[in-house]
Amino acid sequence: MLSRMKRAGSGWIGFLLIALSAGLGFSGCNTRPADTIRVAVAGPMTGDQSKQGTDLKNGVELAVAEWNEKGGVLGKKLELLVGDDQHDPKQAVSIANKFVNSGVVGVIGHWNSSASIPASEVYHRTNVPMITPASTNPQVTDRGYSNVFRVCGRDDQQGRVAAEFVVTQLKVKRVAVLHDKTTYGQGLADEFKKSLAAIGADRVEVVYYGGITQGDKDFRGVLTTVASKKPDVYFFGGIYPEGGLLVQQAKEVGLKAPMVSGDGVIDPVFVQIAGEAADGTYLTFSPDTTKLPAAQRVLKEYRARYGEPGPYSFYAYDAAQVLLGAIRSAGTTDGFGITQAIHTISYDGITGRIQFDSKGDLLTTQYVVWVTKKGKFEEFWKPAGR
């Protein structure tokens, strides 16, 4: 998940502190009150993907507030630093360095894989544990950094589910594949294409493969080309701003095939952009956590504070719970101790059981297929045996 946006100025732009402990302030990048512990959350807090960054911030903020209400961690209150990476890799690195210089002991983030991967290089060098709630590109954890974790699935997992759905359920013959040229978008599209070849090599033909530019607004040219290939379905690896425009403009150029996409598109903003054209779009994501009994207390508190949760709000909440629980379990704010505690943690979160393998991936993950119907997302299909 990536894009480039113009950055306004330098220094501390895009970086702010939310004081969740009464009377706490911020007096400089290298100072931290002795009676506090600083943690951080990062994501695209401004711009076209700001909805996702805000969802992450709200989830972490709620978890931190709950811990502070119970006395904090290790007898100290918590401060939450919020970084706006603007879904830009360079800005993500800048934010990561500012977090480290500010004395944070752990980071929840980033949202985009294209931000998480370069930022994690900073966290790895400085031994600051990072837990991403949403970055699904395999390279986030495949580099072998012991202090990098994720509480979501991977693109090779959701790409396979999407391919299995297209082959066994839609039973199509001709597929077009589009992506937004980003780490997340192209990565997911490639995983889908790879799985499509493995599952339906003798049944499905990829009739088109190509990219669009994230941030563009007019995709009619490429969609006209796609339509000329007469696909039965087209897959899009990317985020909801472009996804919404694609399905809207596909109708305009006469491309009637439905779109299949991933977790980067399943957000209400997609429907707002696409309008009625969104109906019939298929999306891979985890099962609906808001219906689980374990989620009801947090759901009520979240709605009271912020309104409806976003797709990754509870993932951010769970990631924060894991980080703070690990600090308590380790009995220290030392990065090595916290990392070791995260590796051994077993936490029943809102999003499911959280336990990590040696790479920092979840031991168990689950993807299902959703469908957009009358402006709402509904669970539609679950792979057999999962």
Side-chain angles (χ1 to χ4, degrees), residues 258-274:
M259 184 174 82
V260 177
S261 192
D263 61 306
V265 171
I266 189 167
D267 189 277
V269 179
F270 164 68
V271 176
Q272 294 173 16
I273 295 171

Side-chain angles (χ1 to χ4, degrees), residues 29 52 78 81 164 174 201 278 283 317 328 354:
C29 65
Q52 300 299 332
L78 297 161
L81 277 64
E164 185 177 342
R174 300 169 65 81
L283 306 158
Y317 175 87
R328 180 179 63 184
I354 297 178

Side-chain angles (χ1 to χ4, degrees), residues 132-213:
T132 173
S135 294
T136 52
N137 187 278
Q139 284 301 307
V140 171
T141 51
D142 280 357
R143 291 164 300 153
Y145 292 169
S146 63
N147 65 318
V148 175
F149 305 84
R150 65 174 132 215
V151 294
C152 57
R154 296 164 49 110
D155 287 332
D156 46 2
Q157 295 166 336
Q158 71 169 325
R160 182 172 181 82
V161 168
E164 185 177 342
F165 173 72
V166 165
V167 173
T168 67
Q169 303 302 306
L170 298 184
K171 298 181 180 179
V172 301
K173 302 296 184 182
R174 300 169 65 81
V175 178
V177 180
L178 288 167
H179 60 78
D180 64 1
K181 303 178 185 178
T182 68
T183 304
Y184 163 72
Q186 185 166 355
L188 177 58
D190 288 347
E191 293 294 347
F192 168 77
K193 187 169 177 282
K194 185 191 306 181
S195 293
L196 200 64
I199 298 170
D202 58 342
R203 290 172 282 174
V204 180
E205 178 186 3
V206 175
V207 298
Y208 180 89
Y209 176 89
I212 62 171
T213 300

Side-chain angles (χ1 to χ4, degrees), residues 81-98:
L81 277 64
V82 180
D84 178 15
D85 63 30
Q86 302 173 19
H87 64 90
D88 181 293
K90 292 181 180 179
Q91 185 71 355
V93 170
S94 176
I95 290 297
N97 280 305
K98 289 166 184 174

